[in-house]
């Protein structure tokens, strides 16, 4: 979903106290009855934060209608209602109460932001959970000819320039298809590879793409890009091919395509690679690495000869005879293939 | 008048409008190639006048005037200096490829003791698009401004004078060509000094930015801040892109003009974000380069802002996010 023109029209904020068995319950909530008054600067600041989070970390989700989520039903009803009948105050209270009830016992206090949003000329609903922080502010005054710097603790900060700690769900009216919500979710609290289960359950949604599919998409798109001629230098291409195979085979449990790009792709090619990932529908955010669908393609059989020659080959090249291994005598390896390049390194 | 000349004249009179179209199309082609190089080229295209055609055939005693007069269509390109002339000729030769019949560098052809006009002429083939007729030819003259000045003058007073000037006057006019050579060499030397100035790349980017920015905003730009920002992010516009960057920026603005106008109006006097320090770059001309880069080279821009331009990331990020192309988050190292 292109969020470049996303704008907030009406914003509700509710204070949700720290979770805990003793504190749970509607009575502990401080639910607002009116929308917050936003100055242009505040609106711009919030828009910045929401767009940045969605552009960089959003994962598509789809409602599981069978789950019968009350939150999903409330969001759908709000999106499908006529503009005149939309009651953001009531909808936002429902969502805040549900979120408070669903969040784990260790969740800190925070603000729930629910907003009517305009995106691509259509209506959407935004739900965000923002943690409250405490900071120290300084001010400078001049008294009796002396410049004095005073500092004070400022409680209740919930969006700062360093803020990444929030959850967002965005559902557009145009994304309600066959009675099910389709939207985007961000969870900056997770390490990037997922969305907190409680948040997905609250929304009655699941991630639209399984990790296996995301992994395959990333692998295929990167390989297609490497084969497309975008990387003209054969040495760079070889390094990237090795990096891709290594990325798939290493111990890391998640893949972040942007980190892969920043680590392995030369700066001059990085935008081209990012464009290819976007065109290939590859998530720009981290996802869990699941190799089930590409296992056979990333496998390399390693053959080491007596004299120390190392042969690495995909398994299908052994089965089709390109690499022939004979067990006669002390054994032999024969490679029936054309030579593309011979390169060497190091001295004697 | 021979029968051959009469037939050639009649045919040229009949087909002259087509040669005008050919010349104008070639001139436009030359201008586009120059734009791609970031060179401002003044071009013109014309068909030879009927009287010049006949006069040339008579003076040169052509047996087959139609074939022998190859400048029936002519285009002229004037550039600022010798380096631009060389670049443009090379680019045109590459652009037209096999369609180039000849390249005559008059300066190279001159005897070392002779001073005369020293432009570069290319003779090219122009395929006929409308029918299967024989391809046309066009003569393309590429000149520096100084060469052009002397050429126009000499054409009028030395080659085609109403009355032949006295010998001393002719001598005075001829020796002016030496001055033109000196002008070209001096301009070339000065240009090289300017290009070597470390401030040149960002100054040129700022000029490109200001050209489009002031069609979008009435805000007053702080030039010192502009140069400071561009000095930091200049690597986000790779060297090989800089020559054609005017066109890149122009195309970006053409695509986004309405949105850009609305966006910049927010920071200008009367706008809802006027004076907001967080969006200080909203009144700066260089911001249009940042917006263009965020759209076309987001990863490269982020790389520069995480590296050499790290000190201004805080200034750039809010504006880009508000525009709708937020930077990628800083990646863990």
């Amino acid at each position: 979903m292109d969020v470049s023109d996303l704008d907030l029209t009406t914003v509700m904020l509710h204070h949700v106290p720290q979770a805990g068995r003793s504190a749970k319950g509607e009575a502990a909530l401080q639910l607002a009855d009116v929308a917050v008054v936003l100055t242009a600067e505040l609106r711009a600041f919030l828009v910045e934060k929401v767009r940045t989070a969605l552009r960089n970390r959003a994962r598509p989700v789809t409602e599981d209608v069978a789950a019968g989520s009350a939150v999903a039903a409330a969001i759908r009803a709000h999106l499908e209602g006529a503009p005149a009948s939309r009651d953001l105050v009531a909808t936002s209270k429902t969502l805040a109460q549900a979120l408070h009830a669903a969040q784990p016992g260790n969740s800190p206090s925070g603000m729930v932001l629910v907003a009517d949003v305009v995106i691509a000329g259509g209506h959407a609903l935004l739900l965000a959970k923002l943690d409250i922080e405490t900071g120290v502010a300084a001010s400078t005054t001049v008294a009796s000819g002396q410049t004095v710097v005073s500092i004070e603790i400022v409680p209740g900060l919930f969006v700062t320039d360093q803020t990444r700690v929030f959850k967002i769900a965005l559902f557009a009216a145009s994304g309600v298809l066959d009675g099910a919500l389709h939207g985007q979710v961000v969870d900056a609290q997770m390490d990037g590879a997922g969305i907190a289960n409680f948040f997905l359950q609250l929304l009655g949604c699941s991630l639209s793409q399984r990790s296996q599919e995301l992994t395959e998409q990333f692998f295929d798109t990167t390989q297609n890009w490497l084969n497309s001629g975008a990387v003209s230098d054969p040495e760079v291409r070889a390094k990237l091919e090795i990096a891709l195979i290594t990325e798939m085979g290493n111990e890391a449990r998640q893949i972040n395509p942007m980190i892969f790009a920043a680590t392995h792709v030369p700066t001059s090619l990085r935008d081209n690679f990012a464009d290819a990932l976007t065109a290939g529908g590859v998530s720009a955010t981290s996802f869990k690495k699941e190799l089930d669908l590409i296992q056979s393609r990333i496998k390399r059989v390693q053959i080491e000869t007596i004299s120390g020659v190392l042969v690495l080959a995909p398994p299908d090249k052994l089965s089709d005879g390109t690499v022939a291994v004979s067990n006669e005598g002390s054994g032999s390896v024969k490679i029936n293939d054309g030579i593309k390049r011979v390169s060497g390194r190091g001295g004697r | 008048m021979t029968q051959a000349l009469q037939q050639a004249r009649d045919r040229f009179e009949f087909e002259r409008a087509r040669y005008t179209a050919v010349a104008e199309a070639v001139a436009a082609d030359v201008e586009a190639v120059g734009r791609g190089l970031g060179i401002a080229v003044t071009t013109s295209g014309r068909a030879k006048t009927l009287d010049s055609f006949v006069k040339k055939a008579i003076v040169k005693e052509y047996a087959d005037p139609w074939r022998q007069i190859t400048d029936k269509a002519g285009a002229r390109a004037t550039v600022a200096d010798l380096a631009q002339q060389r670049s443009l000729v090379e680019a045109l030769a590459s652009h037209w490829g096999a369609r180039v019949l000849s390249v005559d560098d008059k300066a190279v052809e001159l005897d070392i003791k002779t001073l005369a006009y020293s432009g570069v002429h290319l003779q090219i083939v122009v395929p006929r698009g409308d029918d299967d007729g024989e391809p046309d030819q066009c003569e393309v003259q590429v000149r520096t401004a100084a060469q052009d000045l002397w050429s126009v003058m000499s054409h009028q007073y030395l080659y085609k004078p109403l009355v032949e000037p006295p010998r001393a006057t002719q001598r005075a006019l001829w020796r002016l060509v030496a001055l033109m050579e000196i002008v070209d060499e001096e301009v070339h030397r000065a240009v090289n000094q300017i290009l070597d100035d470390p401030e040149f790349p960002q100054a040129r980017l700022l000029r490109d930015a200001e050209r489009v920015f002031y069609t979008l905003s009435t805000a007053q730009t702080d030039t010192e801040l502009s140069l400071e920002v561009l000095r930091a992010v200049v690597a986000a516009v790779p060297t090989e892109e800089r020559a054609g960057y005017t066109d890149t920026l122009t195309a970006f603005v053409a695509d986004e003009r309405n949105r850009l106008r609305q966006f910049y109006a927010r920071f200008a006097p009367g706008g809802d974000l006027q004076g907001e320090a967080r969006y200080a770059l909203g009144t700066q001309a260089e911001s249009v380069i940042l917006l263009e880069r965020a759209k076309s080279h987001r990863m490269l821009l982020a790389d520069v802002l995480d590296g050499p331009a790290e000190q201004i990331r805080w200034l750039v990020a809010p504006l880009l996010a508000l525009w709708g192309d937020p930077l990628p988050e800083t990646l863990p190292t």
Side-chain angles (χ1 to χ4, degrees):
Chain A
M1 191 185 300
D2 180 3
V3 296
S4 59
D5 70 343
L6 177 148
D7 203 1
L8 305 170
T9 50
T10 313
V11 174
M12 289 296 302
L13 276 170
H14 303 289
H15 181 257
V16 181
Q18 184 170 7
R21 295 189 187 285
S22 59
K24 275 197 174 181
E26 288 182 23
L29 284 169
Q30 295 174 30
L31 298 175
D33 296 314
V34 291
V36 294
V37 177
L38 290 180
T39 61
E41 187 188 12
L42 270 171
R43 186 188 301 274
F45 187 76
L46 290 173
V47 163
E48 261 186 52
K49 295 295 163 191
V50 170
R51 283 181 185 170
T52 302
L54 285 165
R55 171 77 187 263
N56 289 315
R57 287 174 169 258
R59 298 282 301 273
V61 292
T62 305
E63 182 190 350
D64 176 7
V65 180
S69 160
V71 166
I75 293 171
R76 244 186 295 112
H78 187 81
L79 290 172
E80 290 176 331
S85 68
R86 276 181 212 142
D87 186 347
L88 185 67
V89 176
T91 303
S92 70
K93 283 182 177 178
T94 303
L95 299 183
Q97 284 166 334
L99 193 140
H100 180 239
Q103 66 184 359
N106 57 358
S107 297
S109 66
M111 302 299 295
V112 171
L113 182 152
V114 182
D116 276 324
V117 163
V118 174
I119 184 166
H123 174 231
L125 188 74
L126 181 86
L127 166 67
K129 162 79 192 302
L130 307 118
D131 290 351
I132 291 177
E133 298 171 50
T134 299
V136 176
S139 59
T140 304
T141 53
V142 179
S144 308
Q146 287 188 305
T147 301
V148 179
V149 176
S150 310
I151 58 172
E152 61 176 333
I153 288 186
V154 182
L157 298 173
F158 68 93
V159 185
T160 70
D161 265 332
Q162 306 307 319
T163 297
R164 270 208 215 167
V165 192
F166 52 86
K167 293 175 169 55
I168 296 177
L170 176 70
F171 295 100
S174 60
V176 182
L177 304 169
D178 298 327
L181 291 171
H182 294 76
Q184 308 264 324
V185 173
V186 172
D187 188 349
Q189 273 174 313
M190 299 298 281
D191 56 6
I195 308 290
N197 274 338
F198 98 84
F199 196 49
L200 286 174
Q201 282 166 8
L202 171 80
L203 297 168
C205 291
S206 56
L207 293 171
S208 302
Q209 284 179 297
R210 295 181 305 139
S211 300
Q212 290 95 326
E213 291 163 349
L214 290 169
T215 306
E216 184 185 36
Q217 250 179 353
F218 170 73
F219 181 78
D220 285 349
T221 305
T222 305
Q223 278 220 317
N224 290 341
W225 178 70
L226 288 170
N227 294 331
S228 71
V231 186
S232 54
D233 185 332
E235 196 170 334
V236 173
R237 197 167 65 233
K239 280 181 181 169
L240 284 166
E241 278 169 2
I242 292 166
L244 180 62
I245 294 293
T246 307
E247 182 80 24
M248 294 296 127
N250 67 19
E251 294 298 312
R253 286 184 299 173
Q254 55 181 273
I255 296 171
N256 183 317
M258 293 300 109
I259 292 180
F260 177 84
T263 310
H264 302 292
V265 181
T267 309
S268 59
L269 295 170
R270 225 171 274 167
D271 277 294
N272 189 285
F273 178 58
D275 290 346
L277 291 180
T278 306
V282 177
S283 166
T285 60
S286 297
F287 50 85
K288 194 175 170 192
K289 187 163 68 183
E290 298 268 12
L291 302 173
D292 307 26
L293 300 177
I294 57 168
Q295 202 64 262
S296 61
R297 280 179 281 164
I298 60 169
K299 264 187 188 159
R300 290 289 185 279
V301 175
Q302 184 173 317
I303 304 162
E304 193 173 352
T305 68
I306 295 165
S307 57
V309 175
L310 204 62
V311 178
L312 279 174
D316 61 321
K317 298 301 168 201
L318 275 116
S319 53
D320 70 8
T322 305
V323 178
V325 180
S326 164
N327 293 322
E328 284 179 28
S330 55
S332 65
V333 182
K334 191 175 177 189
I335 301 169
N336 302 299
D337 205 354
I339 294 172
K340 190 174 177 185
R341 187 174 59 251
V342 176
S343 57
R345 275 183 195 279
R348 284 174 289 177
Chain B
M1 188 183 291
T2 65
Q3 193 182 358
L5 176 55
Q6 199 161 339
Q7 282 175 347
R9 185 202 61 187
D10 292 348
R11 183 175 172 186
F12 188 53
E13 187 175 20
F14 182 71
E15 296 186 20
R16 192 170 171 276
R18 187 165 54 75
Y19 280 98
T20 300
V22 166
E24 287 171 352
V26 170
D29 208 13
V30 172
E31 197 176 343
V33 170
R35 248 200 333 270
L37 296 170
I39 296 175
V41 188
T42 306
T43 58
S44 61
R46 56 104 188 97
K48 206 168 190 63
T49 59
L50 194 57
D51 61 303
S52 293
F53 180 88
V54 173
K55 195 171 174 184
K56 186 169 187 174
I58 293 169
V59 171
K60 303 270 186 181
E61 297 179 343
Y62 287 144
D64 184 356
W66 183 256
R67 293 207 177 280
Q68 288 173 284
I69 297 179
T70 54
D71 61 348
K72 293 189 277 293
R76 185 173 298 166
T78 309
V79 295
D81 61 70
L82 291 168
Q84 290 188 352
Q85 183 187 37
R86 198 173 307 126
S87 300
L88 184 60
V89 168
E90 283 173 8
L92 289 173
S94 163
H95 174 66
W96 287 320
R99 287 170 52 199
V100 178
L101 297 173
S102 63
V103 179
D104 299 328
D105 185 339
K106 303 293 182 188
V108 173
E109 290 167 9
L110 283 176
D111 182 274
I112 200 158
K113 294 177 184 169
T114 307
L115 292 167
Y117 166 72
S118 54
V120 182
H121 293 189
L122 294 92
Q123 190 71 27
I124 64 164
V125 171
V126 183
R128 294 271 289 269
D130 54 344
D131 54 39
D132 298 330
E134 191 183 348
D136 295 316
Q137 286 190 27
C138 183
E139 182 189 78
V140 182
Q141 302 178 350
V142 183
R143 301 170 171 176
T144 66
Q147 289 164 358
D148 189 59
L149 177 68
W150 193 83
S151 174
V152 171
M153 180 282 296
S154 63
H155 201 69
Q156 198 167 345
Y157 300 115
L158 289 171
Y159 292 121
K160 295 180 179 176
L162 289 173
V163 291
E164 188 171 331
R167 183 180 164 77
T169 306
Q170 285 189 46
R171 173 74 182 161
L173 292 176
W174 270 106
R175 72 186 178 209
L176 283 175
V177 76
L179 274 182
M180 296 303 110
E181 272 197 30
I182 293 168
V183 166
D184 271 338
E185 291 293 338
E186 284 302 297
V187 169
H188 185 58
R189 198 169 60 84
V191 166
N192 281 342
Q193 282 173 349
I194 293 166
L195 289 174
D196 287 343
D197 189 315
E199 282 295 289
F200 181 77
Q202 45 269 24
R204 188 161 71 167
L205 285 176
L206 180 57
R207 182 201 62 189
D208 288 344
E210 284 182 339
R211 273 184 188 158
V212 293
F213 181 74
Y214 288 123
T215 69
L216 304 166
S217 172
T218 53
Q220 180 67 45
T221 284
D222 176 343
T223 304
E224 256 181 60
L225 176 61
S226 294
L227 289 171
E228 200 174 317
V229 170
L230 288 171
R231 207 174 290 129
V233 300
V234 70
V237 185
T239 314
E240 62 273 18
E241 274 191 54
R242 286 183 204 154
Y245 194 63
T246 310
D247 276 358
T248 304
L249 210 51
T250 304
F252 169 69
V253 170
D255 284 350
E256 302 277 359
R257 181 169 291 282
N258 289 338
R259 224 181 120 215
L260 282 166
R261 277 201 167 148
Q262 288 167 10
F263 184 64
Y264 282 124
R266 300 189 71 181
F267 317 107
D272 65 343
L273 294 174
Q274 180 195 355
E276 291 296 345
R278 185 173 179 80
Y279 307 111
L281 290 182
T283 55
Q284 290 291 109
E286 70 278 14
S287 62
V288 73
I289 292 177
L290 297 168
L291 302 184
E292 185 281 322
R293 292 287 93 180
K295 184 181 181 189
S296 69
H297 290 74
R298 184 168 174 256
M299 298 289 282
L300 176 61
L301 180 62
D303 197 57
V304 171
L305 288 167
D306 285 338
E310 192 183 8
Q311 78 279 11
I312 60 161
R313 187 183 166 112
W314 67 273
L315 194 59
V316 176
L319 192 80
L320 297 186
L322 193 61
W323 165 248
D325 275 325
L327 289 168
E329 290 165 341
T330 304
L331 297 170
T333 51

